């Protein structure tokens, strides 16, 4: 199947816009100008102008009264950046002794500078992983990606054992907390008890029992029914 070729060069600003719009559209809804401005810490007027230019370049489509969506070309360009970012994070952790809470900012800086060739060499050195250190899926070189659906730990029934697969946060302090308590992708967890009305959840890991607030538990995505 043929693809419309990606633009040969995209500015860092354009790459950031496309990645932000991809992130905001993950739930299936168009990305609004205000949401884009907030995520990128820009003035809404600036975002409006850039959105118009990206639409003229065929990277975005306007959804009347709702926002914008990535075109097929825009989505592939965004996923190329997502692949770069997640391969970089994986490489920094695997080979350069970075901890998973310290890689995001480094990857943000590097993703715009590295070549696709270097990324593919890194991927080969890593054994072509399908997920990054946080459990986030890594797009394939052709821009395709399978988004697996997991269940938040906050919704797992009491008495059920699961395997943690993905941690849905980039906040360093939370990542450090999870790592200190063994709550990382691949860990086996059992929900022991749950307090009502959004109260804390008691879980058992290899390190023993601990309490998690409902908000934190909601960031831990699990494969329900795992042994």
């Amino acid at each position: 199947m043929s693809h419309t070729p990606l633009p040969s060069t995209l500015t860092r600003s354009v790459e950031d816009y496309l990645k932000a719009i991809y992130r905001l559209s993950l739930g299936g809804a168009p990305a609004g100008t205000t949401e884009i401005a907030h995520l990128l810490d820009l003035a809404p007027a600036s975002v409006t102008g850039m959105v118009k230019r990206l639409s003229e370049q065929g990277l975005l489509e306007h959804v009347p009264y709702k926002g914008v969506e990535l075109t097929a070309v825009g989505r592939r360009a965004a996923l190329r950046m997502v692949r770069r970012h997640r391969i970089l994070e994986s490489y920094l952790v695997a080979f350069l002794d970075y901890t998973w809470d310290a890689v995001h900012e480094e990857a943000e800086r590097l993703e715009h500078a590295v070549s696709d060739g270097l990324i593919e060499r890194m991927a080969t050195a890593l054994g072509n992983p399908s997920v990054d250190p946080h459990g986030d899926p890594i797009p394939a070189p052709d821009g395709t990606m399978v988004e697996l659906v997991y269940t938040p730990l906050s919704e797992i029934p009491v008495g059920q054992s699961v395997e943690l697969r993905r941690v849905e946060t980039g906040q360093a302090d939370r990542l450090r907390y999870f790592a200190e308590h063994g709550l990382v992708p691949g860990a086996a967890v059992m929900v022991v008890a749950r307090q009502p009305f959004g109260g804390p959840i008691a879980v058992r890991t290899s390190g023993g029992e601990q309490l998690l607030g409902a908000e934190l538990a909601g960031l831990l995505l699990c494969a329900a029914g795992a042994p």
Side-chain angles (χ1 to χ4, degrees), residues 30 33 48 51-53 55-56 60-69 71:
T33 302
T48 300
V51 163
K52 184 175 185 295
R53 289 194 292 275
S55 297
E56 292 169 349
L60 299 180
E61 289 180 351
H62 277 279
V63 180
Y65 309 109
K66 292 184 178 179
V68 294
E69 293 178 336
T71 62

Side-chain angles (χ1 to χ4, degrees), residues 5-26:
L6 293 175
S8 56
T9 58
L10 296 173
T11 66
R12 175 173 183 150
S13 177
V14 168
E15 290 173 340
D16 284 340
Y17 267 88
L18 295 178
K19 199 170 69 163
I21 293 167
Y22 169 77
R23 177 178 166 185
L24 291 169
S25 303
L26 282 176

